[in-house]
Amino acid sequence: MTLDRPLRVLHVFTFFRPDFTGEGIYLERLQPHLCAHHLHGDVLAVATAAGGASEWTGCPDCGPVVRLGLGSDGAAVKLIRLWLWLWRHLDRYDLVHFHSNVDRFFIAPLLCRMRGRPVVQSCTLDDGAGKRLRNYRAVYRPLVKRLMRRIDMYVAISPYLFRDCLRVVSAEQVTLIPQGVTPPTDDRPRVELRHAAGCDADAFMLLFVGGLCERKGVADLVEALPGLVEAAPAVQLHFVGPELEPGLAVALRRRAAELGVAARLHWHGASPDPTPWYRMADAFVFASHREGFGNALLEAMAAGLPVVARRLPGINDYFIEHGRTGLLWDEPAEMVDWIGRLGADLTFRQQIGAAAADSAVSALRIDRIAGLYEKLYTGLVSRP
């Protein structure tokens, strides 16, 4: 159903820019497409340091980011400010979309329901309804389960999270909406991009994009680097993304030096737009142990890069067909073997990259994903 007026959605996060969150970055990319469907949004960041309101890159019709600065400990005395803010401002919105679990007491979504506002809850990492329920003591779980079922709709971004939600709620209360991707528009020659970034024009450039943290498996990549050098002698490993765990980058450099491969490791920090990095790389490597989806994989695929990723059942094997649109591995030795083959066989590299781009762009274009949100939001707002 399509309404005859624009909808205004309140997007609620624990953290938002300038704090790094993949879900926040993704909403900023998605919001212009939501606006094209007449779904305008404001952002409320519960934990990010307070600084009044500021604009964000949604679209001209979107409101400001409001940062409450409550921290992330979830204490009830702090959450009172969130509850009061919602009570005072809910009249502005048709629907509230929680992108993280900001309130372990469920008062915030209940307030929205009391004011007649449908509530959507995203599940984007290890926060499906089933996993979230297990985080409570057994004595509280019957009550928590009842409260969780008061959410109008759960949005799972992968089949893994969808199945986890079904442990608690019915199939009618959860929907699968994967992440979407925008086809890259930067068509500058690879040599030009590498020269501008100070990268070796002749290297076999292996790229990782994402926040540096333990769960992303970046230490595994450094440990595998000597084997990668043996398998692909021209290999260089480039990290693009913020350091989320202080001291990790220093530790990685130190370990690379101990392994004798320090000259092969390059750290570029955060990038507001990683598109040029995808364009200049030869292959994309992903060693994450836990993900809700793995949007950087999808971005790399859309850019025509062959991706070599740790297999995460129900997550990245949902959109990567092993051997055709990407290469999945279970043990680091398999990763090394696949990268060695990519480095030695340009035709194989191009075949995987071309199939990846075609698959990502045809199935998961971000404007089509915005259409799924339009259907979800308008259906919830329109129902009796």
Side-chain angles (χ1 to χ4, degrees), residues 278-340:
Y278 295 127
R279 295 287 299 172
M280 72 178 80
D282 293 296
F284 187 84
V285 64
F286 199 73
S288 185
H289 296 275
R290 292 187 298 114
E291 291 289 334
F293 189 81
N295 196 251
L297 280 169
L298 191 61
E299 294 173 353
M301 292 170 67
L305 274 182
V307 299
V308 185
R310 189 192 300 272
R311 188 191 312 273
L312 300 174
I315 300 173
N316 57 19
D317 60 1
Y318 167 60
F319 59 91
I320 297 174
E321 182 182 345
H322 176 64
R324 192 181 76 84
T325 65
L327 302 165
L328 300 174
W329 52 274
D330 298 296
E331 299 296 332
E334 297 175 72
M335 172 188 67
V336 171
D337 289 343
W338 283 122
I339 290 172

Side-chain angles (χ1 to χ4, degrees), residues 192-350:
E192 177 185 331
L193 289 168
R194 288 194 179 188
H195 177 74
C199 298
D200 187 345
D202 298 322
F204 178 70
M205 186 172 173
L206 193 59
L207 178 67
F208 168 87
V209 174
L212 251 70
C213 58
E214 183 179 355
R215 75 170 177 86
K216 291 286 188 179
V218 289
D220 296 341
L221 297 180
V222 174
E223 291 294 331
L225 196 46
L228 292 173
V229 172
E230 184 176 343
V235 73
Q236 293 186 6
L237 177 59
H238 293 257
F239 287 141
V240 176
E243 184 178 7
L244 301 183
E245 295 172 359
L248 183 57
V250 171
L252 293 178
R253 291 190 182 98
R254 183 184 303 118
R255 182 56 179 158
E258 294 171 351
L259 295 170
V261 291
R264 306 296 186 115
L265 179 63
H266 303 273
W267 168 242
H268 302 285
S271 174
D273 178 14
T275 301
W277 293 103
Y278 295 127
R279 295 287 299 172
M280 72 178 80
D282 293 296
F284 187 84
V285 64
F286 199 73
S288 185
H289 296 275
R290 292 187 298 114
E291 291 289 334
F293 189 81
N295 196 251
L297 280 169
L298 191 61
E299 294 173 353
M301 292 170 67
L305 274 182
V307 299
V308 185
R310 189 192 300 272
R311 188 191 312 273
L312 300 174
I315 300 173
N316 57 19
D317 60 1
Y318 167 60
F319 59 91
I320 297 174
E321 182 182 345
H322 176 64
R324 192 181 76 84
T325 65
L327 302 165
L328 300 174
W329 52 274
D330 298 296
E331 299 296 332
E334 297 175 72
M335 172 188 67
V336 171
D337 289 343
W338 283 122
I339 290 172
R341 182 175 173 185
L342 290 171
D345 190 339
L346 176 61
T347 299
F348 179 59
R349 196 159 77 228
Q350 292 174 335

Side-chain angles (χ1 to χ4, degrees), residues 107-187:
I107 302 298
L110 288 176
L111 285 175
C112 298
R113 291 289 304 271
M114 288 174 60
R115 298 290 293 273
R117 301 303 185 264
V119 175
V120 175
Q121 175 70 61
S122 278
C123 306
T124 59
L125 187 56
D126 279 347
D127 56 355
K131 180 64 178 291
R132 188 181 182 189
L133 180 64
R134 293 192 293 274
N135 288 335
Y136 290 83
R137 294 180 183 178
V139 67
Y140 297 126
R141 288 176 188 169
L143 173 61
V144 171
K145 184 181 292 188
R146 292 181 62 186
L147 293 171
M148 294 178 81
R149 290 174 176 171
R150 298 290 291 173
I151 304 293
D152 291 281
M153 187 66 67
Y154 288 85
V155 174
I157 64 173
S158 65
Y160 165 81
L161 289 166
F162 184 88
R163 292 193 295 267
D164 186 67
C165 286
L166 291 180
R167 298 173 184 270
V168 177
V169 300
S170 68
E172 291 74 26
Q173 207 173 346
V174 58
T175 186
L176 173 60
I177 301 182
Q179 303 279 47
V181 68
T182 303
T185 57
D186 191 338
D187 58 357

